[in-house]
Amino acid sequence: DVEIAAVRVELERSQARAALFSSVTHDLRTPLASIKAAVTSLLQVEVRFDPAQARELLQTVLEETDRLNRLVGNILGLSQVRSGALQPAKEPTALDEIVEAVLHRLEPRFGAIRVRTIFRDTPPVPVDPVLIDQVLSNLLENAIRFSPPAGEVTVSVAPWRSAVQVRVADQGPGIAREERDRVFEPFTQLGTTTPDATGGSGLGLAISRAIVLAHGGRIWIEGTPGGGAAVVFELPARDTAPVLQESAAREGGR
């Protein structure tokens, strides 16, 4: 029985490694293919692009480079978590300013999706701005990916007790209650996508959770009145020790 159990565990690990390789390989190849196609088009001497067409191709290169950079950042971040090397360089920071910066950078991805912000008066909190930028980028990318055409994404920042709470809500298909803890595990795909959506590597929520816990905060998923999903995270207003990743995993991140 012990040997059978050991074989079963090893088989599950092998399947997980295969899924990881397939998922990450797909996510790396997708932006690289777009970048190569755009650059190849621009280098064709026999084709003359007007300024608008050339700018559109260059914009594609920029967006896909940013996407590739975020994926690599998530992979590196996850390896830091597993090695215990994720150490936030904290400084007093206004979270609404990070939100604005991320929204500005991701604006070309919005398309017809409306993004609404609600900012309450909140104090600066001790965070690593680069890491929290990564969290918000991951959450907003997910919200955009799962939003219907012409849907709305709402980002709010508000004080809550001795913390500051950030909420990213969409009008997509939502996440079943029994799946809301599991999607924070590495390489777990978010359930159903909209017809135009593409699956991700399943790293965004995992590394976002790790970063929030490293700041002594917490993160979870709620439903929304319209049937969508909201990812909410809280960061303590004062410097706090990190939450142990393993303990939080056993407790479902709450």
Side-chain angles (χ1 to χ4, degrees), residues 28-43 49 52-70 105-106 108-109 141:
L28 287 171
R29 282 181 172 174
T30 301
L32 284 173
S34 298
I35 292 168
K36 183 174 181 178
V39 173
T40 300
S41 297
L42 289 168
L43 288 175
F49 294 102
Q53 292 172 321
R55 180 178 178 80
E56 184 177 352
L57 288 169
L58 289 171
Q59 186 66 42
T60 297
V61 173
L62 179 61
E63 291 174 17
E64 294 301 321
T65 302
D66 285 341
R67 179 180 172 189
L68 187 61
N69 187 54
R70 282 191 291 276
R105 189 176 65 247
L106 294 182
R109 299 282 305 277
E141 278 203 325

Side-chain angles (χ1 to χ4, degrees), residues 165 180 184 218-222 230-234 253-254:
Q165 188 177 98
R180 292 176 187 173
F184 287 105
R218 64 189 191 117
I219 184 170
W220 67 95
I221 292 175
E222 299 176 350
V231 184
V232 188
F233 66 92
E234 289 179 1
R254 292 296 299 271

Side-chain angles (χ1 to χ4, degrees), residues 59 63 101-111 113 115 144:
Q59 186 66 42
E63 291 174 17
V102 172
L103 290 176
H104 178 73
R105 189 176 65 247
L106 294 182
E107 186 174 2
R109 299 282 305 277
F110 295 165
I113 296 171
V115 178
I144 293 167

